[in-house]
């Protein structure tokens, strides 16, 4: 302490103007550093888009818009016939089923953790959810391939096929033969993988609900279910949707685990127990040994995933905006 | 402090000298021969002190890298055509061979018991034959107990030289396959599930009952999969053995093939295994770095001479002596020193 005061004494009286301009300079520098960091995001994103477009251009020129609704994927034909319908279908279907499973389960875990769970059980469940998020996707893929796939093919799928056999529409969706590698198996793996995103974000936002609101609701005789439905969820809606979108983003782009367990077939089948493929799985599988138009087609698939994700996120923003308007905020 | 500085400087000097003097050969390409190339490189380094840096980035990548002159040699499972070699000023030769075998998982069927021919195999992969007790399969295997179950077809999902050679064989054996699917590292598969890599296909086969797939011989052997025999071009049934693979290579007409462009599928000869494949090395005739180029040739010569045993240990098949002599002549004639 003594040393410090000595130093101050030695420095003598400050020049006020000089000190102020030094502060100002610091402030301006700080402003520019943060601004440049922020702008760099746009530059990087722009760079990625430009390089994707450049790489995809030959395929765009060759196939045009028909790329979107062609189901054939024949890279070794002469000339190659490439269409994105199969992978696009697979991407959307697996993500949709994954969200269908993960949203209710994820929210269920979050509600249980914050509202109902006895104190001693909170930490183990919370940790388990976080660990789920920490598992590398290749491990999910291997587990899906060696454990989940055989289980589904031998137990779950035959059961579903039997129940829905002959039922219109559902019979076609749950049609056999059972398969180790299928769209449904991939969707289930995805659901497990995105669960932690939905759960931990929901837990965090549920904790932001002011206790006084909940206490008031309990005070007028609400049940726990009513408090969750009418107080907690409306209060945290924006946060929950944010978590769901993050999860959906991951589901759309997940590569390694899906490649392992989806069966990598470009054909579209009405059955979700049939093999399929996703955009990212197709790129990961074929990119290394591709060239020419084939490679350009794969890059175009990548660009498509980019656009698809962008639209999904934009739609989510729009939905959020509407909800907010309706809530009168 | 001074001591530390001296150490650091000494270390740096040592490091820079090793970088400057050790003639490290660089190569890139096919993943299939990676295990044997790295084993050879290891033994060669012990003997001569010269290292080899091989990046297994895939055949397509290997071709691109040698064309761009970023490596001393490229490696590819699918050979380049003679016109292409001429255009890029490249020399190409086969380095080591492998074989592809059909594998099945049917209860009660032991390795080597089942027999297929190209036509039947093509029809299974076309989805025309869907049951194991199909008449065509029964005809080839009158004594086998075949279940009345659906066939699960397994194939590679990633682009690969294995797929190229397998589909090339099916194209030669079946006109229908040739017109509907054709050959390539990645093709438009009519049926089946795609698994990643040889290990993916092996894993799938061993887990799925009543399945069929194709893998490199080494994978079938190491994973103890139920391989099947094939009827070759001469109409003779053959089992996948090293002798059968070498017979295919010996019977191929290397001398008359410009740039050694021989795909070793469906070769003549009573003993030839029909889906054998060589993996190729590509080098510039007139390389910018001639010293590195000569170093690489020295390494390949050493590998042909001393590497056969190591190759066999890893279930690769060394090139027959007659072919090696031809290749050495090619080196002398075409690569400028």
């Amino acid at each position: 302490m003594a040393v410090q005061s000595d130093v101050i004494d030695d420095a003598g009286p400050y020049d006020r103007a000089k000190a102020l301009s030094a502060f100002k300079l610091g402030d301006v520098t700080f402003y520019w550093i943060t601004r440049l960091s922020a702008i760099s995001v746009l530059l990087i994103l722009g760079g990625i888009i430009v390089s994707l477009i450049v790489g995809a251009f030959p395929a765009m020129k060759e196939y045009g818009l028909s790329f979107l609704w062609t189901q054939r994927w024949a890279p070794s034909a002469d000339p190659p016939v490439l269409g994105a319908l199969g992978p696009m279908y697979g991407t959307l279907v697996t993500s949709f089923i994954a969200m269908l499973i993960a949203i209710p389960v994820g929210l269920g875990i979050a509600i249980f953790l914050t509202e109902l769970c006895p104190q001693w059980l909170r930490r183990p469940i919370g940790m388990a959810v976080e660990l789920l998020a920490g598992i590398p996707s290749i491990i999910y893929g291997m587990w899906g391939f060696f454990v989940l796939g055989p289980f589904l093919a031998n137990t779950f799928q035959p059961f579903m096929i039997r129940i829905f056999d002959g039922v219109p529409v559902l019979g076609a969706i749950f049609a056999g033969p059972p398969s180790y590698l299928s769209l449904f198996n991939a969707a289930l793996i995805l659901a497990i993988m995105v669960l932690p995103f939905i759960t931990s974000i929901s837990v965090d936002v549920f904790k932001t609900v002011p206790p006084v609101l909940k206490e008031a609701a309990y005070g007028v005789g609400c049940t726990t279910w009513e408090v969750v439905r009418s107080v907690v969820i409306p209060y945290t809606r924006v946060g929950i949707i944010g978590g769901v979108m993050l999860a959906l983003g991951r589901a759309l782009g997940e590569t390694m685990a899906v490649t392992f367990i989806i069966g990598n077939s470009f054909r579209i089948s009405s059955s979700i127990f049939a093999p399929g493929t996703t955009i990212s799985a197709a790129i990961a599988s074929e990119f290394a040994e591709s060239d020419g138009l084939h490679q350009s087609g794969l890059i175009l698939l990548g660009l498509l995933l980019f656009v698809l994700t962008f639209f999904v996120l934009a739609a989510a923003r729009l939905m959020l905006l509407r909800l907010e308007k309706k809530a009168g905020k | 402090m001074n001591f530390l500085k001296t150490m650091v400087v000494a270390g740096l000097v040592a490091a820079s000298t090793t970088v400057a003097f050790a003639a490290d050969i660089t190569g890139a390409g096919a993943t299939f021969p990676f295990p044997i190339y790295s084993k050879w490189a290891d033994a060669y380094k012990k003997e001569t002190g010269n290292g080899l840096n091989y990046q297994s980035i895939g055949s397509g990548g290997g071709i691109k890298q040698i064309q761009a002159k970023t490596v001393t040699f490229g490696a590819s499972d699918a050979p380049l055509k003679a016109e292409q070699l001429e255009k890029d000023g490249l020399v190409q030769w086969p380095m080591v061979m492998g074989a592809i075998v059909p594998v099945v998982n049917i209860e009660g069927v032991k390795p080597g018991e089942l027999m297929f021919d190209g036509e039947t195999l093509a029809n299974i992969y076309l989805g025309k034959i869907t049951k194991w007790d199909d008449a065509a399969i029964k005809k080839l295997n009158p004594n086998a107990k075949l279940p009345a179950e659906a066939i699960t077809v397994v194939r590679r999902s990633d682009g690969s030289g294995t797929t190229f050679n397998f589909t090339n064989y099916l194209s030669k054996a079946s006109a229908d396959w040739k017109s509907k699917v054709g050959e390539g590292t990645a093709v438009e598969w009519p049926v089946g599930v795609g698994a990643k890599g040889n290990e993916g296909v092996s894993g799938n086969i061993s887990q799925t009952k009543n399945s069929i797939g194709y893998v490199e011989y080494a994978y079938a052997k190491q994973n103890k999969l139920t391989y099947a025999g094939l009827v070759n071009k001469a109409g003779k049934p053959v089992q996948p053995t090293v002798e059968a693979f070498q017979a295919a290579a010996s019977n191929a007409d290397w001398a008359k093939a410009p740039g050694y462009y021989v795909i070793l599928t469906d070769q003549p000869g009573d003993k030839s295994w029909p889906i054998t494949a060589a993996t190729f090395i590509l080098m510039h005739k007139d390389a910018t770095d001639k010293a590195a180029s000569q170093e690489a040739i020295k390494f390949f010569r050493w590998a042909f001479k001393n590497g056969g045993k190591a190759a066999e240990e890893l279930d690769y098949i060394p090139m027959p002596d007659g072919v090696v002599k031809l290749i050495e002549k090619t080196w002398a004639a075409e690569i400028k020193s």
Side-chain angles (χ1 to χ4, degrees), chain A residues 157 160-161 164 169-178 269-274:
Chain A
Q157 293 186 3
M160 294 298 275
I161 293 165
F164 291 108
V169 187
L170 286 178
I173 292 176
F174 299 103
S269 162
S270 67
S271 169
I272 56 169
F273 296 151

Side-chain angles (χ1 to χ4, degrees), chain B residues 155-241:
Chain B
R155 34 87 181 173
R156 291 282 288 270
S157 64
D158 47 336
S160 74
T162 314
T163 296
F164 170 79
N165 287 301
F166 184 69
T167 52
N168 174 276
Y169 169 63
L170 294 185
S171 296
K172 283 178 182 167
S174 152
D176 215 17
W177 180 272
K178 195 181 164 99
S179 67
K180 281 193 182 137
V181 183
E183 60 183 53
T185 53
V187 297
E188 184 190 20
W189 297 97
V191 291
V193 291
K196 201 163 162 46
N198 275 304
E199 59 283 1
V201 175
S202 325
N204 238 304
I205 296 292
S206 40
Q207 284 200 336
T208 317
K209 279 208 184 84
N210 301 313
S211 57
I212 185 168
Y214 61 91
V215 292
E216 292 286 350
Y217 170 67
Y219 280 88
K221 200 178 157 195
Q222 283 153 18
N223 295 308
K224 301 195 169 54
L225 296 176
T226 311
Y227 57 82
L230 282 169
V231 177
N232 64 18
K233 197 175 186 178
K236 296 272 176 353
V238 274
Q239 292 292 334
T241 58

